[in-house]
Amino acid sequence: ESGQRLPSHLTIVGERGSLQTMLPSDEAGLSIRQGHVYSATGTASITLPAGTYTIYAGRGFEYSVDSALISVRRGERLQKTLRIRREVDTRGWVASDTHIHTFTHSGHGDATDRDRVITIAGEGIELPVVTDHNVHIDLRPEAVRNNVNKHFTLVTGNEVTTDVGHFNIFPVSGNDPVADHRGRSWRELAGAISNSPARMIILNHARDMHRGFRPFDPKHFLPSAGARTDGEQVFANAMEILNSGSQQTDIMQLTRDWFGILNHGQFLTPVGSSDSHDVSRFIVGQGRTYIQCDDTNPGNLDVDKAIDNFLNGKVMVSAGLLATIKVNDEYGPGDLVQGSRKLNVTVDVHAPAWTRVDRVSLFANGKKVNEAKISDANKGGIKWHGTWSLDVPALDNFLVAVAEGPGENMPFWPLAKPFQPVSENWQPRVIGITGAVWIDGDRNGKRNSARDYADELVKKYQSDLRSLIKALNRYDEAVATQAAIILWENKVDLTGQTFQDALPDANQSTNTGITSALKDIQANTKPN
């Protein structure tokens, strides 16, 4: 609307639909790869062979995409102006990508320091965190050299890359000692990282295997209960539930893992990130986290305030869609809803016109309690608005809204195939996931987890399994799952006759929760 040029991302496709190879350019402020041009200034001079092309212009998730069909003859010079506008209103929320690499310092991918600051500006990331492997890199001087520093506030981080998982930590500075990544256990790593000034510790891509280790492998992790079985504790305060450079075959897999961990009593902040090492192969900021924070001056954000809100779960995770949630018109992600007898849960789905939504779901303690199927009108802005009414349960729980849609063929925003697929069947999807809103159902003024309630019940009834089952019927599936895991941890045989004799007294919710626990236990204990 202002007529000003913007840092942007151009995509050039030949008439057969393939990305067009281009000559490199010495023009300042450009980062060029096959079919892709990032411009720090909003202008670019590009040399192409004679032919017919479609040019797309965009600036990441929040903006529209404009396009032009051109035909150029040998020796001809054309000039085109493409116009984009902000379609997704994110005022009061900063766009962050907490997992960004460079080839310069990580040694793989193709994004140099210069490429990286230009691509960050071109995708509209306001709070980028640079996390090269086991080093502290400050890209602020590079951002100043390329005159893009007014578009974002850079944070230095470090992907602590170990034999037992990868962890992004921030903020750190170039003068801080690098955390020792040689630890062979999470206990050792927690001690090493605690010596750094980092406030955020994010468990990365927990379903991926690196160096023969998968953090959430069924051999030592029970997903329905969010419990480790090897004596290790999750020492992070956040976890990636979406990594657009390391997709899961099932896009909801890590979100369900997160639900289990919340029910287990570890209140981790959900994170979306790109894990990009490249200019265009994996797009920086495709997976992103929106953090509640004043965003009026992207070049000078209040990093401490942003991290405070990050720690408190005041976030939304986005990859092509943005779901927002309000409870009783007042409470959002990270908040505790107190004193209510009725809940009005309002969910909005925001997206540009070039992505679509087909389903919105509401989860309570990880169980889907409402769903709406949507026919998208291909408009930009608010795609869907709805309110659900819920009774306040007698126990605490958490609410999370999830929006999903088809990941259609978008040459300017391609979705990566799963990094380590578990099936040949994969359908690309876009998704938006809210942070958790906590409901103080027991009115004690604090967040209680399903594990808390299960602990109390198991201690109260001890070996009286029939009375325990009857008591669980007053709770939800999540509490039943946690109780079953506690019994198993206490060496109770859940397939034995004593426990099976008590099961006929279970209602459907209790039975479902126990069945989920048994399924995970069987996967955990079966021979390799």
Side-chain angles (χ1 to χ4, degrees):
E1 292 86 350
S2 66
Q4 295 178 339
R5 294 187 177 95
L6 280 169
S8 52
H9 176 193
L10 303 176
T11 307
I12 303 174
V13 177
E15 54 188 325
R16 293 186 178 180
S18 58
L19 295 172
Q20 178 60 43
T21 300
M22 290 167 285
L23 293 177
S25 172
D26 294 329
E27 184 178 338
L30 295 187
S31 178
I32 297 179
R33 296 296 185 274
Q34 181 174 348
H36 296 273
V37 180
Y38 280 92
S39 170
T41 63
T43 64
S45 297
I46 306 162
T47 302
L48 295 167
T52 299
Y53 305 94
T54 302
I55 302 178
Y56 300 92
R59 192 173 185 247
F61 165 70
E62 297 173 25
Y63 286 80
S64 65
V65 168
D66 194 8
S67 64
L69 180 65
I70 65 167
S71 291
V72 291
R73 296 187 294 272
R74 181 181 178 89
E76 185 178 16
R77 183 177 180 88
L78 295 181
Q79 181 171 314
K80 281 286 180 182
T81 299
L82 294 103
R83 291 177 170 84
I84 60 175
R85 59 188 293 270
R86 185 186 290 272
E87 292 191 323
V88 181
D89 184 358
T90 59
R91 284 173 293 183
W93 298 82
V94 297
S96 180
D97 186 348
T98 58
H99 197 163
I100 300 174
H101 293 278
T102 68
F103 168 76
T104 307
H105 305 286
S106 284
H108 57 112
D110 67 7
T112 64
D113 289 357
R114 176 177 172 276
D115 291 324
R116 184 48 73 214
V117 297
I118 293 172
T119 55
I120 288 170
E123 292 292 338
I125 299 298
E126 297 161 315
L127 190 67
V129 184
V130 179
T131 55
D132 280 315
H133 299 279
N134 298 324
V135 292
H136 297 172
I137 302 302
D138 185 356
L139 290 186
R140 287 177 297 178
E142 192 68 32
V144 172
R145 276 192 291 273
N146 286 275
N147 197 31
V148 291
N149 53 303
K150 65 182 178 181
H151 297 293
F152 50 78
T153 300
L154 273 162
V155 176
T156 297
N158 171 10
E159 184 170 20
V160 183
T161 307
T162 80
D163 288 340
V164 287
H166 296 188
F167 301 86
N168 279 348
I169 66 172
F170 63 90
V172 294
S173 75
N175 298 322
D176 294 323
V178 176
D180 188 349
H181 62 278
R182 296 170 295 179
R184 301 291 298 177
S185 70
W186 282 14
R187 187 184 303 274
E188 289 179 43
L189 290 175
I193 291 173
S194 68
N195 294 323
S196 82
R199 297 174 61 198
M200 292 305 310
I201 307 172
I202 301 173
L203 172 59
N204 294 340
H205 40 65
R207 283 279 172 170
D208 293 346
M209 182 174 289
H210 293 276
R211 303 182 187 178
F213 180 83
R214 178 182 289 113
F216 286 176
D217 194 296
K219 291 183 293 185
H220 50 239
F221 179 71
L222 307 175
S224 64
R228 300 271 302 195
T229 62
D230 56 1
E232 293 275 30
Q233 296 295 319
V234 178
F235 63 91
N237 47 32
M239 67 169 282
E240 288 181 346
I241 63 170
L242 183 118
N243 181 316
S244 58
S246 184
Q247 291 259 33
Q248 299 298 303
T249 303
D250 176 358
I251 199 169
M252 282 289 291
Q253 178 65 68
L254 286 164
T255 298
R256 287 195 297 271
D257 293 340
W258 173 56
F259 289 160
I261 288 172
L262 294 182
N263 281 322
H264 193 63
Q266 293 183 280
F267 303 134
L268 302 188
T269 296
V271 176
S273 68
S274 72
D275 200 358
S276 174
H277 295 71
D278 309 270
V279 170
S280 59
R281 188 167 69 103
F282 298 112
I283 295 174
V284 69
Q286 187 172 59
R288 57 178 66 188
T289 307
Y290 282 93
I291 308 167
Q292 190 172 349
C293 188
D294 181 8
D295 63 336
T296 54
N297 185 1
N300 189 28
L301 297 172
D302 186 339
V303 175
D304 287 336
K305 180 63 175 176
I307 292 177
D308 286 344
N309 285 342
F310 205 144
L311 281 166
N312 289 323
K314 296 181 181 295
V315 301
M316 302 176 293
V317 171
S318 172
L321 298 173
L322 182 65
T324 64
I325 187 169
K326 277 288 183 185
V327 176
N328 295 346
D329 298 321
E330 182 179 357
Y331 301 96
D335 292 338
L336 178 66
V337 181
Q338 297 177 272
S340 293
R341 296 190 180 278
K342 198 77 176 175
L343 302 175
N344 290 314
V345 183
T346 300
V347 176
D348 290 333
V349 181
H350 306 252
W354 47 270
T355 64
R356 295 196 298 121
V357 58
D358 59 18
R359 182 170 65 214
V360 181
S361 306
L362 181 67
F363 294 83
N365 271 9
K367 176 181 172 59
K368 187 184 294 186
V369 294
N370 285 100
E371 182 179 80
K373 299 291 180 66
I374 298 165
S375 179
D376 190 341
N378 290 328
K379 65 177 183 177
I382 296 179
K383 297 270 194 178
W384 185 82
H385 169 86
T387 299
W388 288 299
S389 293
L390 304 174
D391 292 325
V392 177
L395 67 157
D396 292 3
N397 66 12
F398 60 86
L399 301 177
V400 173
V402 178
E404 297 177 68
E408 297 168 324
N409 181 29
M410 299 172 285
F412 49 85
W413 209 75
L415 293 168
K417 292 182 178 180
F419 175 57
Q420 295 176 353
V422 298
S423 169
E424 293 181 357
N425 298 317
W426 173 71
Q427 293 295 323
R429 302 282 285 172
V430 291
I431 194 167
I433 308 161
T434 70
V437 185
W438 295 86
I439 311 301
D440 185 21
D442 60 14
R443 298 173 181 266
N444 68 354
K446 63 180 183 179
R447 295 184 295 190
N448 290 105
S449 69
R451 176 81 179 201
D452 293 331
Y453 297 116
D455 271 328
E456 291 178 2
L457 291 172
V458 172
K459 288 175 183 176
K460 179 177 180 179
Y461 294 103
Q462 297 184 7
S463 60
D464 186 353
L465 297 179
R466 188 176 294 274
S467 294
L468 173 62
I469 293 294
K470 291 179 179 179
L472 285 171
N473 291 339
R474 300 192 297 270
Y475 293 78
D476 66 5
E477 288 179 20
V479 177
T481 297
Q482 295 293 332
I485 296 301
I486 294 169
L487 292 173
W488 177 69
E489 292 169 345
N490 292 340
K491 310 303 182 185
V492 173
D493 183 2
L494 301 184
T495 60
Q497 193 62 48
T498 303
F499 188 77
Q500 293 298 311
D501 285 345
L503 274 183
D505 292 325
N507 63 14
Q508 182 177 350
S509 176
T510 299
N511 191 65
T512 301
I514 292 171
T515 300
S516 295
L518 277 169
K519 180 181 177 182
D520 286 352
I521 289 168
Q522 288 164 356
N524 178 264
T525 56
K526 70 180 182 180
N528 292 333

